[in-house]
Amino acid sequence: MISDLTRLLSSLPPATLPPGRTVEPEDGGPPPYWLSDASADPGLWARMRSRHPESGLWPLLLSGLSSDERRPWVAGEVSPADMSSPERHDVAELLARWWAGCTTADEDETSAARAPFGRNWPGLARPGDLAEPPDVLADECVEFLVDGRTRLGLVPAARSADTLAVVGWSSPTNHTGDAGEISAVLRSWEDRFGVRVVGVGFATLNLSVAAPPTSTGHALAVAAEHFAFCPDNVWQGAGSLTAYADQLLGMHSWSFWWD
């Protein structure tokens, strides 16, 4: 049986792609992504992104673990069969559950970090205002992520948010082992903030953002979502939601790292 990935790749015009291969998961199953043999070219990423409506293949910049660049992408250290479908999840409920999990540590330390919010989940942030078309901004962000080691990946996905669930990315396992949950949040961010998934590492995620918060109050609401989504951005980064929110003001790229 021909996989969706193989079928979509075969429909591309000849000589569209550089040398590369499809990658099978370590635990077996059809390959969920194609990976270039050499480092990615920003121009090629943009061309493949522009073809996405017809090709059904979303491009990603894929990077490996610094101590072992084969992990996870070259080695196929992914588990697509273990991931749920993003549409199964209510994003507000999901973030509220993660928020609760992030606020059960030492109360003095936690309350200071999450101020001005309390234990109760503050709710979803309102949508942002688009500064420019999301796909165009994604092309611009790629220029800053290519570092000579990032490879081009192609994933059969209808939207960029779904790519993590499709490939079975499992590296944020200390926070959630289900990339379907991650993709569900990313779908919501695509709709509200013009987000596009651009780069994925071993346990890192880079997004372009066409509608970032531009006011302090809005940035705080977005920061609360980020804290629930990836608490290490605050705990091991800015230290508090207020400091982190300042970093989000007008920023057209968001990055996340899970310990």
Side-chain angles (χ1 to χ4, degrees):
M1 180 179 179
I2 298 176
S3 70
D4 286 345
L5 175 61
T6 302
R7 176 178 56 81
L8 294 175
L9 288 169
S10 66
S11 69
L12 293 174
T16 299
L17 297 176
R21 63 183 177 91
T22 57
V23 180
E24 295 183 359
E26 285 184 327
D27 55 1
Y33 58 94
W34 175 93
L35 183 69
S36 66
D37 290 340
S39 60
D41 175 274
L44 176 61
W45 192 97
R47 290 193 296 274
M48 294 310 302
R49 195 276 311 154
S50 69
R51 289 181 180 272
H52 174 254
E54 294 78 36
S55 73
L57 296 165
W58 182 265
L60 295 174
L61 292 178
L62 300 178
S63 55
L65 189 64
S66 58
S67 60
D68 184 356
E69 292 192 3
R70 288 182 50 81
R71 301 179 62 194
W73 308 113
V74 177
E77 193 178 337
V78 293
S79 303
D82 296 334
M83 306 304 164
S84 65
S85 175
E87 53 261 4
R88 284 182 48 191
H89 305 286
D90 180 283
V91 171
E93 292 178 359
L94 187 61
L95 288 171
R97 171 162 58 84
W98 286 342
W99 175 270
C102 293
T103 58
T104 56
D106 178 82
E107 177 58 20
D108 290 339
E109 179 184 0
T110 301
S111 61
R114 70 174 181 247
F117 305 112
R119 282 186 175 274
N120 294 331
W121 165 239
L124 296 178
R126 65 171 176 80
D129 298 319
L130 285 177
E132 60 181 299
D135 289 338
V136 173
L137 185 65
D139 294 346
E140 296 172 1
C141 284
V142 167
E143 299 282 347
F144 298 97
L145 293 177
V146 172
D147 63 4
R149 296 181 300 172
T150 50
R151 302 191 189 207
L152 177 70
L154 294 175
V155 182
R159 53 196 296 180
S160 77
D162 292 354
T163 54
L164 302 185
V166 171
V167 301
W169 188 54
S170 57
S171 295
T173 187
N174 290 336
H175 188 60
T176 174
D178 184 0
E181 295 181 336
I182 298 288
S183 287
V185 175
L186 296 178
R187 280 185 172 195
S188 181
W189 288 352
E190 278 187 342
D191 296 339
R192 288 182 291 140
F193 305 113
V195 158
R196 295 293 183 267
V197 181
V198 177
V200 191
F202 181 79
T204 58
L205 177 64
N206 293 98
L207 312 175
S208 62
V209 189
T214 55
S215 70
T216 299
H218 194 200
L220 277 168
V222 174
E225 293 195 30
H226 284 207
F227 181 50
F229 181 73
C230 180
D232 289 329
N233 269 30
V234 175
W235 291 133
Q236 300 188 40
S240 70
L241 282 184
T242 52
Y244 183 70
D246 288 341
Q247 299 174 5
L248 296 180
L249 282 169
M251 285 295 296
H252 287 285
S253 63
W254 294 344
S255 61
F256 302 91
W257 170 71
W258 289 266
D259 194 355

